[in-house]
């Protein structure tokens, strides 16, 4: 399997090279030249396998330049003991039609662990396979969860360093505390004065600044990405769409081959894109429900075919979805345009220069056939949290609640009763303040005390990784202007 850039199909690399580099040299994203197929017979064979076996099967379809032993090494390292559940993505049934796939049983309590626990091993293997002798410096822009998950994944991994940028006033207190107390000898963490889009743009600028990169190449460093633009992030996410489907089949609620919906709380469009990949590989999917918060740029895009980031940016109770530039959308556009790389390069250029692009009718019709876009605001999110607890004794986090709320609107608008899996992207403990508010509790305490209240009053356990967070040493407190991110990199590596 070869990988091309979305902006130039003549760029053609192996998966190891795509993972090592992160972003293609023309600023495009690496995409597989075609979707490998998974048949119903394959699905039947996977039915009785555990998550690790399923992951090995799916990964080997894309990473054809990896040996079976290499894939086995990466998968078992990532998924054997790092998650607090035997299945890293267990499915919980809420109603006859509605399931929740909990993606947050990893070391940082958010869904990004599923990809970021395995990425360092994929990266290490890719470095070795491509004969690279430089130290790989992972640059990460985070809206909160990626940063911590990447730090946990890469800490003390040989041959790598990791530098994380987060919006200083744009993440929850718990998220910030998780990052600034990070342990490890190869980690650097910086706040920036700006929002997530500024951080992401700054990181992309570093990758495409040839002079800057060359300077560090000479010193023995190469830059790479752990953001969801890296194909090594995407492919592990494809696995849990197959796995959660198989688990619902196994429960007897659907038959193999029956279609289901997925509802996905969406920000950078990585998670829901993995669902789209799974569907193209052969997973029976009816609708992909793309759920947004008040930053509803994707809702508008799905409904109108116009992507326009010239709008106000809001901080919401679901900060990991506070995004106006959804990078992975580029990969979807590429497929919808039948791999027309020139067109994608043009659209992305318009996005860069005008902050806006319009897709043609045909692409828009294809989007509307498969995707439903909706959004709910913070007030509604609180109501959904309260109702979900009242009706199902289940406490969702704020991001998951957005997906539940948009799914409920979808039912009202369409009457579709296809069984639906809600992708649950964070533990409620990561966002305790707003979750407690939704549950009708006043929440005027310091953040750590809120965890205890949530646990005590709703008979839940504080996840181990969050225990004693308040007693850890703060190691990082530097804040840079959004225009000076290169200085932070230079200072870290000198
Ligand atoms: C990152 C994240 C999202 C958004 O996922 P994307 O892949 O960026 O669309 C949603 N919820 C939580 C909790 C997250 O951490």
């Amino acid at each position: 399997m070869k990988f091309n850039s979305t902006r130039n199909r003549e760029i053609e690399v192996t998966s190891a090279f795509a993972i090592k580099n992160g972003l293609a040299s023309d600023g495009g994203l690496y995409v597989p030249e075609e979707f490998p197929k998974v048949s119903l017979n394959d699905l039947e064979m996977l039915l009785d396998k555990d998550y690790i076996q399923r992951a090995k099967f799916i990964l080997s379809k894309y990473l054809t330049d990896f040996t079976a032993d290499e894939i086995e090494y990466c998968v078992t390292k990532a998924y054997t003991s790092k998650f607090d559940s035997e299945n890293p993505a267990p499915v919980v049934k809420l109603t006859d039609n509605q399931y929740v796939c909990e993606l947050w049983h990893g070391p940082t309590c958010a869904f990004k662990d599923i990809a970021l626990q395995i990425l360092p091993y994929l990266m290490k293997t890719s470095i070795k396979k491509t004969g690279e002798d430089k130290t790989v410096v992972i640059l990460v822009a985070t809206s909160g969860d990626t940063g911590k998950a990447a730090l946990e994944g890469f800490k003390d991994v040989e041959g790598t360093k990791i530098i994380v940028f987060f919006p200083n006033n744009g993440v929850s207190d718990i998220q910030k505390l998780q990052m600034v107390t990070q342990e490890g000898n190869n980690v650097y963490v910086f706040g920036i004065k700006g929002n997530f889009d500024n951080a992401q743009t700054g990181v992309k600028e570093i990758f495409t600044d040839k002079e800057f990169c060359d300077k560090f190449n000479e010193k023995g460093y190469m830059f790479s990405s752990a953001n969801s633009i890296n194909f090594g992030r995407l492919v592990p996410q494809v696995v849990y769409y197959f796995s959660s489907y198989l688990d619902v089949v196994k429960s007897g609620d659907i038959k193999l081959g029956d279609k289901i919906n997925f509802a996905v709380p969406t920000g950078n469009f990585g998670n829901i894109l993995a669902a789209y990949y799974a569907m193209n590989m052969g997973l029976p999917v009816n609708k992909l429900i793309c759920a947004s918060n008040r930053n509803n740029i994707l809702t508008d895009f799905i409904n109108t075919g116009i992507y326009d980031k010239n709008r106000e940016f809001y901080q919401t109770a679901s900060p990991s979805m506070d995004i106006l530039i959804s990078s992975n959308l580029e990969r979807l556009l590429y497929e919808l345009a039948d791999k027309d790389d020139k067109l994608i390069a043009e659209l992305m250029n318009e996005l860069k220069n005008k902050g806006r692009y319009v897709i043609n009718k045909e692409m828009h019709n294809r989007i509307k056939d498969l995707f439903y876009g909706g959004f709910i605001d913070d007030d509604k999110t609180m109501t959904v949290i309260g109702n979900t607890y009242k009706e199902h004794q289940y406490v969702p986090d704020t991001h998951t609640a957005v997906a539940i709320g948009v799914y409920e609107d979808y039912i009202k608008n369409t009457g579709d009763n296809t069984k639906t899996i809600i992708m649950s992207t964070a533990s409620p403990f990561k966002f305790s303040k707003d979750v407690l508010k939704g549950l009708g509790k006043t929440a005027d305490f310091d953040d750590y005390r809120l965890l205890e209240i949530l646990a005590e009053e709703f008979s839940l356990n504080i996840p181990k990784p969050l225990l004693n967070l308040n007693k850890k040493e703060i190691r990082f407190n530097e804040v840079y202007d959004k225009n000076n991110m290169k200085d932070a990199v230079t200072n870290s590596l000198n």
Side-chain angles (χ1 to χ4, degrees):
M1 172 86 63
K2 289 280 188 271
F3 291 79
N4 307 120
S5 162
T6 45
R7 301 182 195 181
N8 180 359
R9 282 174 75 182
E10 279 165 28
I11 294 182
E12 199 184 83
V13 301
T14 61
S15 80
F17 195 90
I19 291 169
K20 182 179 83 176
N21 270 39
L23 198 64
S25 54
D26 62 347
L29 308 189
Y30 288 117
V31 280
E33 61 184 347
E34 63 191 8
F35 290 111
K37 295 295 174 208
V38 174
S39 67
L40 281 185
N41 280 343
D42 291 331
L43 289 181
E44 190 164 13
M45 177 277 291
L46 291 172
L47 212 47
D48 288 321
K49 302 275 195 272
D50 62 11
Y51 193 88
I52 288 189
Q53 299 300 326
R54 291 169 179 174
K56 276 200 279 192
F57 182 84
I58 300 297
L59 262 58
S60 64
K61 295 274 175 193
Y62 286 101
L63 312 182
T64 52
D65 51 326
F66 281 53
T67 65
D69 282 351
E70 285 168 341
I71 291 179
E72 162 105 32
Y73 162 77
C74 296
V75 169
T76 42
K77 275 285 196 188
Y79 300 128
T80 304
S81 60
K82 304 283 186 51
F83 288 75
D84 73 4
S85 54
E86 199 178 316
N87 176 352
V91 175
V92 177
K93 185 169 178 172
L94 289 194
T95 69
D96 276 348
N97 272 343
Q98 199 179 339
Y99 302 79
V100 172
C101 177
E102 295 181 343
L103 300 171
W104 39 261
H105 289 276
T108 77
C109 309
F111 98 97
K112 297 192 172 64
D113 285 327
I114 299 210
L116 282 164
Q117 278 302 312
I118 190 168
L119 183 68
Y121 299 104
L122 295 173
M123 183 74 77
K124 215 168 110 180
T125 310
S126 299
I127 293 169
K128 205 166 77 199
K129 293 177 78 62
T130 52
E132 185 62 59
D133 55 6
K134 296 192 184 70
T135 299
V136 174
V137 181
I138 307 293
L139 299 178
V140 180
T142 183
S143 55
D145 290 331
T146 302
K148 178 61 183 180
L151 288 162
E152 271 304 308
F154 279 96
K155 79 167 175 213
D156 296 329
V157 171
E158 216 183 298
T160 71
K161 288 181 189 285
I162 172 164
I163 304 177
V164 170
F165 296 97
F166 68 89
N168 199 40
N169 295 320
V171 300
S172 83
D173 292 347
I174 292 285
Q175 286 176 317
K176 191 176 201 165
L177 208 52
Q178 279 185 303
M179 288 188 278
V180 298
T181 58
Q182 179 64 44
E183 293 161 5
N185 290 322
N186 60 342
V187 303
Y188 307 88
V189 178
F190 301 101
I192 66 153
K193 290 180 205 146
N195 61 31
F196 169 70
D197 288 318
N198 300 136
Q200 181 163 252
T201 303
V203 164
K204 276 196 184 167
E205 268 168 20
I206 294 173
F207 283 129
T208 45
D209 182 338
K210 193 159 175 320
E211 202 181 316
F212 190 80
C213 293
D214 284 350
K215 193 175 81 189
F216 283 97
N217 285 350
E218 277 165 31
K219 294 185 180 169
Y221 294 111
M222 66 167 288
F223 295 115
S224 187
S225 161
N227 276 98
S228 59
I229 51 178
N230 191 313
F231 189 77
R233 278 278 300 276
L234 193 55
V235 60
Q237 296 179 356
V238 174
V239 177
Y240 53 71
Y241 285 98
F242 279 97
S243 186
S244 59
Y245 176 85
L246 291 166
D247 286 345
V248 177
V249 172
K250 238 183 138 169
S251 75
D253 288 357
I254 56 171
K255 292 193 308 294
L256 204 65
D258 288 349
K259 289 187 173 180
I260 56 169
N261 301 327
F262 291 102
V264 187
T266 298
N268 219 0
F269 211 78
N271 197 356
I272 197 166
L273 182 78
Y276 175 79
Y277 273 45
M279 189 201 76
N280 278 283
M281 294 169 73
L283 188 69
V285 172
N286 177 53
K287 275 275 175 201
L288 297 179
I289 298 163
C290 176
S292 301
N293 61 29
R294 197 176 170 201
N295 295 297
N296 58 352
I297 187 165
L298 287 168
T299 311
D300 289 347
F301 175 64
I302 291 169
N303 291 333
T304 65
I306 301 169
Y307 195 91
D308 191 348
K309 78 168 185 80
N310 304 306
R311 59 175 72 208
E312 204 169 327
F313 174 87
Y314 301 105
Q315 288 193 347
T316 73
S318 42
S320 301
M321 297 155 68
D322 290 347
I323 290 176
L324 292 183
I325 305 177
S326 298
S327 295
N328 269 298
L329 193 58
E330 181 171 344
R331 286 186 164 115
L332 176 69
L333 297 175
Y334 178 79
E335 302 302 335
L336 296 172
D338 289 325
K339 305 186 193 295
D340 183 345
D341 52 356
K342 304 268 172 330
L343 176 62
I344 301 306
E346 254 168 54
L347 293 176
M348 292 304 120
N349 215 18
E350 278 176 38
L351 180 63
K352 188 169 172 203
N353 296 328
K354 297 191 215 128
R356 180 180 194 274
Y357 60 80
V358 184
I359 56 170
N360 61 42
K361 258 253 148 50
E362 199 185 338
M363 287 169 74
H364 186 216
N365 285 338
R366 287 185 180 179
I367 288 197
K368 280 193 300 189
D369 272 351
L370 179 61
F371 289 88
Y372 170 91
F375 77 100
I376 62 171
D377 64 14
D378 280 356
D379 284 347
K380 183 76 200 291
T381 305
M382 298 306 143
T383 309
V384 170
I385 291 171
N387 287 346
T388 306
Y389 183 70
K390 247 184 264 147
E391 288 161 23
H392 314 300
Q393 291 71 56
Y394 188 84
V395 180
D397 94 292
T398 48
H399 303 74
T400 308
V402 168
I404 295 175
V406 170
Y407 166 69
E408 286 168 356
D409 288 344
Y410 168 77
I411 302 291
K412 262 185 235 141
N413 292 337
T414 63
D416 178 19
N417 62 1
T418 307
K419 294 193 191 305
T420 300
I421 302 180
I422 314 275
M423 300 324 259
S424 174
T425 49
S427 155
F429 283 95
K430 267 198 113 156
F431 303 94
S432 347
K433 189 182 240 143
D434 288 316
V435 168
L436 280 169
K437 212 161 117 194
L439 294 168
K441 301 279 160 190
T442 41
D444 220 2
F445 297 97
D446 82 54
D447 266 60
Y448 195 78
R449 178 70 194 122
L450 294 175
L451 299 185
E452 296 171 338
I453 295 173
L454 185 57
E456 285 158 17
E457 300 216 8
F458 297 89
S459 316
L460 300 166
N461 294 319
I462 299 179
K464 253 212 210 98
L466 299 180
L467 275 175
N468 300 324
L469 201 53
N470 55 338
K471 302 198 180 82
K472 285 188 146 178
E473 178 206 351
I474 295 189
R475 295 186 63 204
F476 302 97
N477 56 17
E478 278 184 276
V479 180
Y480 278 76
D481 188 83
K482 64 176 190 245
N483 296 317
N484 295 339
M485 288 166 58
K486 282 179 191 159
D487 295 344
V489 173
T490 304
N491 294 339
S492 302
L493 298 180
N494 278 347

